[in-house]
Amino acid sequence: ETGVTQTPRHLVMGMTNKKSLKCEQHLGHNAMYWYKQSAKKPLELMFVYNFKEQTENNSVPSRFSPECPNSSHLFLHLHTLQPEDSALYLCASSQVGLAGRSGELFFGEGSRLTVL
Amino acid sequence: AQKITQTQPGMFVQEKEAVTLDCTYDTSDQSYGLFWYKQPSSGEMIFLIYQGSYDEQNATEGRYSLNFQKARKSANLVISASQLGDSAMYFCAMSRLIQGAQKLVFGQGTRLTINP
């Protein structure tokens, strides 16, 4: 069982809907990440939270809104999405300050989003 | 900017044979990390092996080894004695620390299929 849990695993939404993706890590890490995986494209880093503070926003459109209430939980709020936003959204966590392998990212199984 | 290149979109290998998955990278950083992840059809990214840029010896983790050639900027993954369960997508990634958090840049991946 993975130490990073994502819900829902699958989500279908219309372009006018508002939904949220949830990520919870049980590893005691203090950095969390959102990645987007589209077909035939490399994984793209979207957001990085380090000690609950957002340290990276990779030019992500404002229709994606992250929230990190504590070091164990991370949300991605979605509103007025486009069909091209359909993708697998992966959450990950790591321990800040540990370079090398011990700072590796642990990923969840992802939330597969389909925008109609 | 960092860049990862995986030139093999797909590979087919007979069970029990060894397989090498290619990865080249480009960076101006002196200190960096190189990771390999496996992604089965379930979607989860599973960490396989890590190589630090200052590590003099090639990393090994069980059946996985990383052939690190720093001058050529390559970090190929070698899987010995392949198994049916090795069939999956494999991603090479390079890390950069941002305020302690790992920023991973991924390649496009190689789909490995192990034939019985």
Side-chain angles (χ1 to χ4, degrees), chain B residues 19-81:
Chain B
V19 56
T20 298
L21 304 182
D22 295 340
C23 173
T24 58
Y25 61 92
D26 190 21
T27 183
S28 57
D29 293 346
Q30 295 301 310
S31 178
Y32 51 88
L34 295 158
F35 295 79
W36 276 92
Y37 280 86
K38 171 185 178 181
Q39 187 180 41
S41 56
S42 62
E44 180 189 1
M45 298 284 282
I46 302 169
F47 166 81
L48 294 179
I49 197 166
Y50 167 84
Q51 179 86 40
S53 58
Y54 292 114
D55 294 341
E56 295 186 351
Q57 292 201 338
N58 287 342
T60 59
E61 293 277 356
R63 293 186 300 114
Y64 305 107
S65 61
L66 198 151
N67 184 359
F68 181 47
Q69 298 187 42
K70 193 171 183 177
R72 297 179 60 183
K73 293 188 175 179
S74 74
N76 298 340
L77 176 71
V78 180
I79 306 175
S80 64

Side-chain angles (χ1 to χ4, degrees), chain A residues 23-40:
Chain A
C23 176
E24 182 175 1
Q25 59 96 0
H26 315 276
L27 302 169
H29 292 163
N30 46 25
M32 296 188 77
Y33 312 76
W34 279 116
Y35 276 84
K36 176 184 178 182
Q37 186 176 25
S38 305
K40 299 182 180 179

Side-chain angles (χ1 to χ4, degrees), chain B residues 90-108:
Chain B
Y90 288 81
F91 292 94
C92 180
M94 167 179 284
S95 70
R96 165 185 281 179
L97 287 178
I98 301 174
Q99 301 178 34
Q102 294 271 19
K103 175 180 177 180
L104 288 186
V105 175
F106 286 84
Q108 290 196 298

Side-chain angles (χ1 to χ4, degrees), chain A residues 3-86:
Chain A
V4 180
T5 305
Q6 291 187 241
T7 55
R9 293 293 311 281
H10 300 273
L11 177 63
V12 180
M13 58 187 290
M15 289 190 286
T16 58
N17 292 158
K18 288 184 179 181
K19 298 287 185 182
S20 295
L21 305 181
K22 178 182 176 182
C23 176
E24 182 175 1
Q25 59 96 0
H26 315 276
L27 302 169
H29 292 163
N30 46 25
M32 296 188 77
Y33 312 76
W34 279 116
Y35 276 84
K36 176 184 178 182
Q37 186 176 25
S38 305
K40 299 182 180 179
K41 291 179 69 176
L43 275 80
E44 303 169 69
L45 178 64
M46 299 175 72
F47 301 103
V48 179
Y49 276 84
N50 187 341
F51 290 102
K52 300 186 298 178
E53 299 295 324
Q54 187 180 129
T55 58
E56 182 92 354
N57 177 338
N58 234 16
S59 303
V60 180
S62 60
R63 58 185 183 271
F64 295 91
S65 175
E67 179 189 1
C68 189
N70 55 61
S71 58
S72 298
H73 294 85
L74 184 65
F75 295 89
L76 188 62
H77 304 299
L78 317 168
H79 62 99
T80 58
L81 295 190
Q82 305 298 311
E84 61 264 29
D85 296 322
S86 298

Side-chain angles (χ1 to χ4, degrees), chain A residues 99-115:
Chain A
R101 187 260 166 97
S102 54
E104 78 199 62
L105 269 62
F106 290 78
F107 285 85
E109 292 184 303
S111 295
R112 185 161 297 281
L113 172 66
T114 302
V115 181

